[in-house]
Amino acid sequence: MCLSFDYPKEDILVSVPNTKQAMDPVHPLEQLRGNSDHDGIDVTSWVSVCPRGLWKVQQKWTRKGSQQTVSNSADDASRSSSYCPRMGSLCRVRVRLKADVDEAESSVSEKGDEKLSDQPDKLVTDLTEAVAAAFPRCHDSVLQVPLGDWTTLRLGEGQCDITEACVEGMRAGEKCEILLSPVGNGPDVSINQPAEEKLPLCATIELQVFTPGRESWEMSPAEKWEWVKSHKERGGVRFRSGDVWGAADSYSRALKLLITLHGRVREAENKGQEAEEQKDTNTSDETQHLPSANEFKTIKAELHSNLSLCQLKLNQPEQAKASAAKATQLEPAGAKAWYRLGQACQMLNELEEARQAFRELLKLQPESASALKALKHIASREKETNAQLGLRLSKMFS
């Protein structure tokens, strides 16, 4: 399954697992948004790439939110009150299976169900403290979040694909229903909750309160750079834990933000050279927090290379080839990128291109056992192919 997004040709990433998040560089496969009916009901549909497969998500909600945010200042509150959560917003959410919701609503009271008007100060404290102890992404459940309890998410981090995609379009106090069904033959997902064994899966998502956030275009270059580094680090953690889809998502988020910094990095580099010529050491804090042009190119190459590795693991050789090729263009001395390019070409049966990639790797690492083994394997495959071709030709002319 291939997904794409519109950016300059040289910076295109393809087939990256994503949701409809504003932070993602990939648009959803499907997004059907209808006009609200007389009851104020709105429905949105898209396809989300979750652990171990593709899921179709149908979201339905009624616009009855309180439109309140939690803020540290009156100005922030008034400015953000009409917005949905944005990048960086801390969101207090609760995800429950529909069966559990019906059971809870049938009881006289629900213990521990806090309302915004009851303890606003406590909610502010909870949101601020909870962000330091994020819950681990669940690899076995499509919902990826602890069920039944109030949870704090920081929008834009990609902590849980479906939940964040829903929350970004909600207002404080709203509740929406989601219907989840596997695409195609269905992913191989282990469901721990007994009620989740019945598909399609129906659940509710509630957004209680959220803090003001910012769109990416409102951020300073230094803030974007911090997000880039955060996504890159998170991608490595996710990959090492076996969350390949999540790692690819983190790397693609970092690349999208990095692309927007290209002009500012080049501008800062030129200003730095002029200042050095003029012996002027006064530079802005924003410039000091940006990477140098060389560091920018190196980080971008590493992200493309890491994304290529994820795409190889996810059996997406064409996309892995494109990502690895971009990495080698940016950083010709990157041995890992050449190896991943060779692997991708092998998977596509493009043996000559694979051979060239592995030879480039040997120039950098003459004793690379992996490259030597790969070249030997390519020679063996070509020999076998030639033998089969010769046999077919001999039968034709015999």
Side-chain angles (χ1 to χ4, degrees), residues 329-362:
Q329 293 170 13
L330 291 166
E331 196 72 27
K336 291 181 180 180
W338 284 113
Y339 182 68
R340 289 159 189 170
L341 178 59
Q343 285 184 304
C345 290
Q346 273 189 299
M347 293 175 67
L348 294 169
N349 203 33
E350 298 173 353
L351 301 185
E352 182 57 35
E353 290 187 52
R355 180 187 288 109
Q356 293 176 5
F358 290 126
R359 284 176 176 172
E360 290 294 331
L361 173 56
L362 284 176

Side-chain angles (χ1 to χ4, degrees), residues 36-47:
S36 298
D37 59 22
H38 297 294
D39 295 326
I41 296 177
D42 211 353
V43 177
T44 304
S45 176
W46 72 94
V47 171

Side-chain angles (χ1 to χ4, degrees), residues 360-372:
E360 290 294 331
L361 173 56
L362 284 176
K363 291 179 183 179
L364 299 171
Q365 299 179 352
E367 303 300 325
S368 173
S370 298
L372 293 171

Side-chain angles (χ1 to χ4, degrees), residues 124-373:
V124 174
T125 303
D126 289 347
L127 284 175
T128 305
E129 293 179 349
V131 72
F135 60 87
R137 282 162 55 92
C138 178
H139 297 180
D140 295 328
S141 172
V142 62
L143 290 170
Q144 300 174 287
V145 297
L147 299 178
D149 298 323
W150 288 105
T151 305
T152 299
L153 302 175
R154 189 183 187 203
L155 202 63
E157 290 187 345
Q159 186 69 6
C160 49
D161 306 313
I162 292 176
T163 304
E164 287 192 26
C166 292
V167 166
E168 71 176 7
M170 297 172 65
R171 300 185 180 97
E174 279 191 341
K175 178 190 296 185
C176 74
E177 291 186 5
I178 55 173
L179 188 67
L180 310 174
S181 54
V183 175
N185 294 328
D188 179 18
V189 179
S190 300
I191 302 297
N192 295 325
Q193 296 285 338
E196 286 188 287
E197 295 177 356
K198 297 181 180 180
L199 296 176
L201 174 64
C202 187
T204 66
I205 297 176
E206 299 172 72
L207 174 61
Q208 191 178 53
V209 290
F210 62 91
T211 63
R214 305 175 71 181
E215 299 291 356
S216 59
W217 54 266
E218 296 177 302
M219 294 183 175
S220 69
E223 288 176 313
K224 291 182 181 180
W225 176 236
E226 290 302 315
W227 274 92
V228 168
K229 293 189 292 183
S230 176
H231 284 311
K232 184 175 183 292
E233 181 180 354
R234 189 176 298 111
V237 172
R238 288 178 174 179
F239 186 86
R240 289 189 291 272
S241 70
D243 184 8
V244 183
W245 286 115
D249 178 67
S250 293
Y251 294 138
S252 64
R253 288 169 186 263
L255 279 166
K256 180 184 177 181
L257 283 176
L258 201 64
I259 291 170
T260 67
L261 289 174
H262 177 72
R264 298 304 298 269
V265 170
R266 184 170 54 186
E267 179 183 345
E269 190 79 4
N270 293 334
K271 287 183 178 180
Q273 293 175 356
E274 293 176 1
E276 185 176 348
E277 293 174 358
Q278 299 173 4
K279 305 300 181 180
D280 182 8
T281 58
N282 294 325
T283 56
S284 65
D285 291 339
E286 182 176 295
T287 301
Q288 292 176 354
H289 288 87
L290 285 178
S292 65
N294 288 334
E295 184 182 3
F296 176 89
K297 187 170 65 173
T298 298
I299 293 296
K300 189 175 180 181
E302 289 177 356
L303 288 169
H304 277 291
S305 180
N306 292 346
L307 181 58
S308 176
L309 175 59
C310 293
Q311 290 163 333
L312 285 170
K313 295 286 186 181
L314 297 171
N315 195 30
Q316 299 178 338
E318 292 183 1
Q319 292 72 36
K321 177 185 174 183
S323 297
K326 182 60 179 177
T328 59
Q329 293 170 13
L330 291 166
E331 196 72 27
K336 291 181 180 180
W338 284 113
Y339 182 68
R340 289 159 189 170
L341 178 59
Q343 285 184 304
C345 290
Q346 273 189 299
M347 293 175 67
L348 294 169
N349 203 33
E350 298 173 353
L351 301 185
E352 182 57 35
E353 290 187 52
R355 180 187 288 109
Q356 293 176 5
F358 290 126
R359 284 176 176 172
E360 290 294 331
L361 173 56
L362 284 176
K363 291 179 183 179
L364 299 171
Q365 299 179 352
E367 303 300 325
S368 173
S370 298
L372 293 171
K373 181 178 179 181

Side-chain angles (χ1 to χ4, degrees), residues 21-59:
Q21 291 255 10
M23 276 289 300
D24 289 343
V26 181
H27 297 307
L29 293 176
E30 177 187 7
Q31 183 169 331
L32 306 175
R33 187 165 190 128
N35 295 326
S36 298
D37 59 22
H38 297 294
D39 295 326
I41 296 177
D42 211 353
V43 177
T44 304
S45 176
W46 72 94
V47 171
S48 177
V49 182
C50 300
R52 305 186 189 179
L54 291 169
W55 290 77
K56 182 175 181 179
V57 186
Q58 292 175 290
Q59 179 187 12

